[in-house]
């Protein structure tokens, strides 16, 4: 595809400018004050299709709009559905950013901004791969459908409903998603597994008002102490979750998979040094990669209650609360985790307080078969653009909608992330390598040719 690659090289600077334009829109789906910016981001995506003379639809949802577009029909050719999300995570804590989150800046070969890697930069590679074909050849060798949503970071509720109600419109042979990572710099990957999630908020409620901790301490259950005990009781000393039945449906790792993971060039020391911690913890009997990719976990994401101001205040708080999640693996069912969690909470809750559990969201984990022709097509496209065959990885993060695509459309996902583990996803100074941005565009364009074979 010399002409298409040349087009991509010749337009590289403009692609970067457009990426910056996209990144300047603060499309934080969780922030109700930024609704107009969400609409603006959807319009920006739709405009990318309009420039190629396609007719995108902006589809409203109860939350933020989605953008849908399709290319002219190529009879007899396969259909790929490209999924991505234009929404981003909140940018706090703002003071930790070297440059403002919505003022994209080039630094050390990266573009630094909220959404750079998750997922604006990655999703744009597919829009530019499409552009290259349309402007060089005037047509694509396969059928492409695009669904770009604005609610991935808050649960994909609108898209979920849309897929169920409009499975005909989205019918496809495979779903292409770039919303994850390569294995390491210079080591591209095809991802065949994602973890699922079950996310909760727990309130521990005690006396009817805050109390003097001297007058009352020791005679009344302290909700903050109780919360600490409950959370601590959800995991044992071997790092295993103590919910009854939690591991019953976990698909065990095969010897072959363990061997393949062990053969990946992963440097544990370097991994921990990079994040500034001095060693590994986790479930006994598993390596760090196995723990991150293939084993379920429990993590507190936020915790509050009692006095948080300056200095000391001797108070026994009337309530305390936490947000926490379990990352799940195939074939754990988030609904069953919720049932087991309630049983375990009843065991762990001490007398003198009561608990209120809010089930925030859940999604099962994903495993895609490695023997599909689509995987091989992706491997060839990646080799063309990155100069080396991809390794096969699983990832610890979740893309809940992948399961819905599978269940409703019968289509497996082709997970080809262009990011890196240290991209600061959901964290200050999020970045995306510009070299990978351009390689991702080339791989995307090549993929359409490979899928047509
Ligand atoms: N892009 C991530 C998912 C991801 C992260 C894939 C790391 C592979 C590696 C996505 O935008 C995300 O953050 N998803 C959430 C889902 C949650 C809100 C249900 C996640 O994993 O926390
Ligand atoms: Zn994402």
């Amino acid at each position: 595809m010399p002409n298409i690659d040349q087009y991509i090289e010749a337009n590289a600077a403009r692609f970067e400018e457009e990426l910056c334009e996209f990144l300047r829109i603060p499309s934080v789906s969780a922030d109700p004050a930024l609704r107009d910016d969400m609409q603006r981001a959807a319009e920006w995506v739709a405009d990318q299709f309009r420039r190629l003379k396609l007719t995108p639809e902006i589809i409203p949802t109860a939350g933020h709009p989605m953008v849908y577009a399709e290319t002219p029909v190529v009879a007899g050719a396969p259909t790929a559905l490209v999924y991505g999300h234009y929404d981003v995570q909140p940018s706090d804590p703002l003071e930790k950013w070297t440059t403002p989150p919505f003022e994209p800046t080039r630094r050390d070969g990266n573009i630094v901004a909220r959404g750079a890697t998750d997922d604006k930069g990655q999703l744009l590679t597919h829009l530019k791969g499409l552009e290259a074909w349309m402007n060089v050849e005037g047509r694509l060798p396969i059928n492409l459908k695009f669904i770009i949503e604005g609610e991935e970071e808050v649960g994909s509720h609108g898209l979920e409903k849309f897929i169920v109600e409009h499975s005909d419109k989205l019918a496809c042979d495979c779903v292409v998603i770039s919303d994850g990572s390569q294995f390491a710099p210079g080591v591209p990957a095809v991802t065949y597994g994602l973890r699922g999630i079950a996310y909760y908020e727990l309130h521990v409620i005690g006396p009817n008002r805050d109390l003097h901790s001297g007058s009352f301490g020791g005679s009344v259950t302290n909700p903050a102490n109780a919360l600490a005990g409950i959370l601590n009781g959800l995991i044992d000393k071997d790092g295993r979750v103590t919910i009854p039945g939690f591991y019953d449906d976990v698909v065990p790792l095969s010897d072959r998979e363990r061997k393949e993971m062990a053969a990946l060039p992963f440097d544990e020391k370097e991994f921990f040094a990079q994040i500034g911690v001095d060693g590994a913890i986790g479930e006994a009997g598993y390596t760090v990669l196995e723990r991150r990719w293939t084993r379920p976990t429990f993590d507190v994401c936020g915790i509050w209650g009692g006095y948080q101001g300056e200095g000391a205040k001797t108070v026994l708080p009337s309530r305390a609360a936490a947000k926490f999640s379990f990352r799940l693996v195939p074939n754990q069912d988030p609904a069953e985790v919720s049932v087991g969690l309630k049983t375990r909470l009843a065991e762990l809750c001490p007398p003198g307080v009561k608990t209120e559990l809010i089930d925030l969201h859940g999604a099962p984990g994903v495993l895609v078969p490695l023997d599909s022709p689509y995987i091989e097509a992706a491997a060839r496209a990646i080799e063309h653009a990155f100069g080396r065959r991809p390794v096969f990885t699983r990832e610890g993060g979740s893309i809940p909608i992948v399961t819905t695509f599978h269940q409703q459309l019968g289509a497996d996902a082709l997970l080809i992330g262009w990011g890196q583990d240290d991209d600061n996803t959901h964290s200050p100074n999020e970045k995306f390598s510009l070299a990978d941005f351009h390689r991702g565009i080339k791989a995307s364009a090549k993929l359409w040719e490979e899928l047509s074979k």
Side-chain angles (χ1 to χ4, degrees):
M1 304 199 309
N3 295 340
I4 286 185
D5 282 347
Q6 270 165 21
Y7 177 93
I8 292 168
E9 280 155 29
N11 288 279
R14 177 175 54 83
F15 292 166
E16 288 185 17
E17 282 317 303
E18 289 182 35
L19 172 59
C20 290
E21 208 179 279
F22 194 18
L23 290 169
R24 277 186 207 107
I25 307 173
S27 47
V28 180
S29 48
D31 188 345
L34 298 176
R35 267 197 103 76
D36 290 351
D37 291 303
M38 293 300 293
Q39 184 71 34
R40 215 149 55 83
E43 288 289 350
W44 191 92
V45 172
D47 208 48
Q48 290 282 314
F49 294 110
R50 285 188 204 111
R51 286 187 206 175
L52 304 176
K53 310 262 180 318
L54 301 177
T55 31
E57 296 167 47
I58 295 186
I59 303 171
T61 73
H64 302 296
M66 306 178 291
V67 183
Y68 175 81
E70 55 189 37
T71 54
V73 174
V74 182
T79 301
L81 175 67
V82 179
Y83 163 82
H85 63 96
Y86 68 79
D87 65 322
V88 303
Q89 284 272 327
S91 50
D92 68 300
L94 214 55
E95 70 281 4
K96 294 268 162 62
W97 286 78
T98 310
T99 47
F102 298 107
E103 291 175 24
T105 310
R106 287 180 183 77
R107 219 157 43 233
D108 306 326
N110 299 306
I111 192 82
V112 181
R114 171 55 88 231
T117 190
D118 185 11
D119 177 41
K120 285 175 173 171
Q122 297 203 48
L123 107 77
L124 195 58
T125 62
H126 295 301
L127 302 183
K128 293 301 149 193
L130 167 72
E131 179 190 308
W133 272 96
M134 296 305 274
N135 287 352
V136 174
E137 299 288 335
R139 53 174 282 278
L140 276 159
I142 62 165
N143 300 292
L144 283 189
K145 298 177 176 178
F146 287 83
I147 185 84
I148 313 297
E149 69 157 322
E151 297 184 303
E152 196 273 348
E153 302 291 5
V154 291
S156 298
H157 300 293
L159 178 56
E160 173 92 43
K161 186 163 177 281
F162 186 80
I163 298 172
V164 172
E165 288 169 3
H166 301 272
S167 55
D168 286 358
K169 190 178 178 95
L170 298 181
C172 60
D173 297 297
C174 68
V175 183
V176 175
I177 304 178
S178 295
D179 188 21
S181 293
Q182 303 178 55
F183 181 70
V187 190
V190 172
T191 299
Y192 67 94
L194 293 170
R195 286 199 287 192
I197 193 164
Y199 200 118
Y200 306 91
E201 183 170 318
L202 178 71
H203 291 260
V204 178
I205 302 152
N208 61 9
R209 73 200 86 155
D210 285 2
L211 302 170
H212 190 292
S213 65
S215 312
F216 293 87
S219 68
V220 172
T221 306
N222 178 326
N225 293 22
L227 175 63
I230 291 169
L231 295 174
N232 199 43
L234 286 172
I235 196 147
D236 71 14
K237 63 172 185 10
D238 293 321
R240 286 175 66 92
V241 174
T242 60
I243 291 176
F246 188 77
Y247 292 92
D248 288 359
D249 298 326
V250 169
V251 176
L253 268 166
S254 68
D255 287 343
R256 179 171 160 205
E257 212 179 355
R258 296 193 90 159
K259 260 198 210 117
E260 283 169 2
M261 281 183 192
L264 290 170
F266 181 68
D267 184 337
E268 257 185 43
K269 274 217 183 79
E270 198 185 305
F271 173 76
F272 288 110
Q274 208 177 66
I275 48 179
V277 301
D278 50 17
I281 58 102
E283 190 181 0
Y286 294 91
T287 67
V288 173
L289 274 189
E290 288 168 352
R291 287 173 184 157
R292 292 170 58 210
W293 291 353
T294 75
R295 298 298 298 169
T297 57
F298 165 68
D299 277 292
V300 177
C301 298
I303 182 164
W304 65 99
Y307 183 61
Q308 320 268 320
E310 284 214 29
K313 180 188 180 193
T314 46
V315 66
L316 192 163
S318 72
R319 321 173 52 115
K323 291 180 192 273
F324 57 85
S325 73
F326 302 92
R327 291 284 168 173
L328 307 180
V329 300
N331 289 325
Q332 288 178 296
D333 175 358
E336 279 176 33
V337 170
S338 294
V339 174
L341 174 62
K342 282 175 197 146
T343 307
R344 184 68 183 133
L345 287 178
E347 289 166 7
L348 289 168
C349 183
V353 291
K354 59 183 174 48
T355 58
E356 263 174 34
L357 182 71
I358 305 166
D359 192 336
L360 288 175
H361 58 75
V366 171
L367 271 179
V368 293
L370 273 174
D371 53 8
S372 94
Y374 305 118
I375 297 256
E376 191 41 43
R380 284 197 302 266
I382 288 171
E383 184 170 11
H384 170 79
F386 287 78
R388 112 163 234 178
R389 243 187 102 78
V391 294
F392 294 93
T393 60
R394 289 169 67 163
E395 292 225 55
S398 313
I399 309 177
I401 208 69
V402 170
T403 302
T404 317
F405 283 132
H406 182 75
Q407 286 169 348
Q408 301 293 323
L409 310 177
D412 278 324
L414 210 45
L415 299 161
I416 44 176
W418 313 133
Q420 296 294 345
D421 268 347
D422 67 350
D423 275 348
N424 297 325
T425 319
H426 297 197
S427 175
N429 304 308
E430 181 177 343
K431 67 169 176 67
F432 184 39
S433 151
L434 285 165
D436 285 335
F437 174 59
H438 298 297
R439 289 191 273 253
I441 296 170
K442 272 194 189 164
S444 172
K446 185 73 174 171
L447 179 62
W448 313 140
E449 180 188 271
E450 291 293 344
L451 284 177
S452 74
K453 286 180 184 169

